[in-house]
Amino acid sequence: MKLYLDPGHGGTDGGASGNGLLEKNVNLDIALRIRNTLLNSYDNVEVRMSRTNDITKSLKARTDEANAWGADYYLSIHCNSFNGSARGYEDYIHSNLSDSSLTARYQDILHTEITKLNQLTNRGQKKADFHVLRESNMPALLTENGFIDNPNDANLMKQTSWLQAVAQGHVNGLAIAFNLPPKQNGGGEILYKVIAGSFTSRQNAEERVAYLSRKGIDSFIGTVNISGTTWYRVQAGAFSSRENAEQRLQQVKNAGITDAYIVTEQKTASLEPIMSE
């Protein structure tokens, strides 16, 4: 699958602003996390980005590039703004498309997966005549990941754990929509790991483990390196069955952990505990 990933705005076009944040920067942060997480976790995927730093690039240049490359999917990352009181997540496909179109089916999947993790009010699935949706030759989706001028949404945007969770939601949706195979690391069975939070601070991870323990859920801290940054992941189980992993995920969410998610990995030769109940 060839993904054209488009962090909205950039350079002289800052996009929306509010609460000390610029949309162009938030968009790029989320998009880079999507790219890195996707490439680190799945095979049979290529990613090309409209920008990987703070440059100015026209909308036409973006869609022309995606079309010339022959991308299978166009994903545009944005944040919203309105009047300071509006908040939440919404996504868009082109207004001319039917609800039964392939693009709409992809929207259904990504919307479901993103809203599982983003801790934002769900404003629904929408349609619009945006340039990147109209001029791209492939199925396309534009996501609006919160309102940057709303203090509550903006506070989330300032948290690295939230940015990573939003990226993971996009990745999970893409993996399901395009049936992406998990990376193969030397053979062995597939593991579905329940991650009950991912932090750049080990202390925050330890506090999460202690909280889960009080709720009767065993967990431990593992580390993963993404683009030179060490993340402390709180793992609350590893299962050979996706269904069982989903059940544990729901248990973790019922305990009040809203940023939990499942990652799919290949079992290695290490003696990591596997749960099959």
Side-chain angles (χ1 to χ4, degrees), residues 10-48:
T12 58
D13 176 12
S17 62
N19 298 290
L21 296 169
L22 286 177
E23 181 190 357
K24 65 176 182 178
N25 297 332
V26 178
N27 297 345
L28 181 59
D29 190 305
I30 293 172
L32 288 170
R33 293 174 190 275
I34 292 172
R35 181 195 67 180
N36 296 340
T37 305
L38 192 62
L39 293 178
N40 286 337
S41 303
Y42 294 95
D43 284 326
N44 297 350
V45 59
E46 298 177 65
V47 180
R48 182 170 294 186

Side-chain angles (χ1 to χ4, degrees), residues 204-222:
N204 290 343
E206 290 172 349
E207 290 173 357
R208 178 62 55 86
V209 169
Y211 174 85
L212 288 168
S213 180
R214 293 194 295 271
K215 297 292 185 177
I217 301 172
D218 291 331
S219 62
F220 66 91
I221 299 172

Side-chain angles (χ1 to χ4, degrees), residues 127-185:
K127 298 179 182 180
D129 186 32
F130 297 142
H131 173 96
V132 296
L133 304 178
R134 182 182 65 249
E135 300 301 326
S136 49
N137 294 338
M138 66 294 302
L141 181 73
L142 185 146
T143 65
E144 293 278 8
N145 297 278
F147 282 74
I148 202 168
D149 59 347
N150 178 277
N152 296 292
D153 285 7
N155 183 56
L156 291 173
M157 294 176 192
K158 295 174 183 179
Q159 300 176 27
T160 54
S161 60
W162 181 84
L163 294 165
Q164 186 62 32
V166 169
Q168 188 70 53
H170 283 74
V171 169
N172 291 350
L174 290 166
I176 294 170
F178 291 93
N179 195 28
L180 298 177
K183 275 196 175 297
Q184 303 296 309
N185 297 313

Side-chain angles (χ1 to χ4, degrees), residues 98-110:
S98 73
D99 292 340
S100 61
S101 65
L102 177 61
T103 300
R105 293 202 297 273
Y106 288 155
Q107 181 186 29
D108 291 342
I109 294 169
L110 268 81

Side-chain angles (χ1 to χ4, degrees), residues 215-243:
K215 297 292 185 177
I217 301 172
D218 291 331
S219 62
F220 66 91
I221 299 172
T223 59
V224 61
N225 189 281
I226 300 177
S227 296
T229 299
T230 298
W231 289 85
Y232 298 95
R233 296 199 315 193
V234 177
Q235 184 172 316
F239 301 82
S240 55
S241 160
R242 175 92 192 191
E243 181 179 356

Side-chain angles (χ1 to χ4, degrees), residues 6 23 27 30 34 73-80 89-93 110-111 114 130 133 141-146 166 170:
D6 175 28
E23 181 190 357
N27 297 345
I30 293 172
I34 292 172
Y73 198 57
Y74 192 112
L75 179 59
S76 190
I77 307 300
H78 285 260
C79 299
N80 227 328
Y89 169 83
E90 60 196 26
D91 47 46
Y92 292 84
I93 60 174
L110 268 81
H111 184 92
I114 293 166
F130 297 142
L133 304 178
L141 181 73
L142 185 146
T143 65
E144 293 278 8
N145 297 278
V166 169
H170 283 74

